[in-house]
Amino acid sequence: MTTFESDVNIDNEQKVADAIQNQVGNSIKVSESLDFDYYIDRVLFENDGIVAWIEIKCTDTYEYCMSSYYKISLKKIKRGIDWGESTSAPFYLAVNFKDGIFITRITKECMKNYPIGWGGRKVRRVKGDQEPMIAIPISEFVSLRNFTIDKVYY
């Protein structure tokens, strides 16, 4: 398996996961990193039940309001929504910007309103780095300190 996550990337993701854990409290737990095949970073669980899926991104380049949109792989968002729908659990995207951690819930319905274009990394020159991207409005993110999870039980 090829991975482009450095030790620094892994440490940064863990810091965000720890911050999420502190915000959601003791009854909900943040999982360890999921296997690459899931294509999503973590789950939140309570007892043995999954209560949310979460993708974590870290950037040391951008502040929260530097752009109107946060762009991310369309495939990654689609996978997160698929996992959420198949388990009746919400899917969230958490981004650690230079000035704080912000989070948003993403659904299939809201995704229909987001611009989709072409983009991605250009520096690695690896096949697949340029791909369909989705632009999520910054206005839909909230600061992690104001985040509450939408628990759905059936």
Side-chain angles (χ1 to χ4, degrees):
M1 169 178 67
T2 303
T3 182
F4 293 102
E5 290 191 345
S6 67
D7 288 342
V8 171
N9 295 131
I10 293 167
D11 289 345
N12 287 340
E13 180 185 307
Q14 185 60 51
K15 288 175 186 172
V16 174
D18 292 344
I20 292 168
Q21 181 64 71
N22 289 336
Q23 180 64 24
V24 297
N26 293 330
S27 68
I28 297 173
K29 302 296 182 198
V30 179
S31 74
E32 297 297 319
S33 292
L34 296 175
D35 185 78
F36 182 77
D37 292 337
Y38 282 94
Y39 219 74
I40 298 300
D41 291 322
R42 310 278 177 131
V43 295
L44 303 181
F45 62 95
E46 189 169 40
N47 299 319
D48 290 331
I50 293 174
V51 296
W53 296 82
I54 191 157
E55 174 63 18
I56 298 172
K57 297 306 235 180
C58 299
T59 176
D60 57 3
T61 308
Y62 299 103
E63 292 179 357
Y64 171 67
C65 286
M66 280 181 72
S67 175
S68 299
Y69 295 95
Y70 180 78
K71 294 180 182 177
I72 186 170
S73 164
L74 177 61
K75 180 167 65 172
K76 186 167 283 287
I77 295 301
K78 176 80 170 81
R79 290 274 177 90
I81 290 170
D82 289 348
W83 281 117
E85 286 182 346
S86 67
T87 59
S88 299
F91 168 61
Y92 294 95
L93 171 64
V95 181
N96 186 11
F97 292 95
K98 282 175 65 173
D99 53 347
I101 301 169
F102 293 82
I103 192 164
T104 187
R105 181 175 179 186
I106 301 176
T107 65
K108 190 182 290 185
E109 292 74 33
C110 69
M111 199 176 123
K112 293 175 186 175
N113 298 316
Y114 299 160
I116 296 175
W118 188 254
R121 295 183 187 174
K122 297 178 184 176
V123 294
R124 292 191 310 216
R125 299 176 192 218
V126 174
K127 184 179 179 181
D129 273 355
Q130 292 286 297
E131 62 180 314
M133 304 287 285
I134 188 163
I136 301 165
I138 289 293
S139 60
E140 298 203 7
F141 286 83
V142 298
S143 172
L144 180 61
R145 65 180 165 263
N146 297 324
F147 170 72
T148 55
I149 190 165
D150 300 323
K151 291 196 284 187
V152 181
Y153 296 104
Y154 291 94

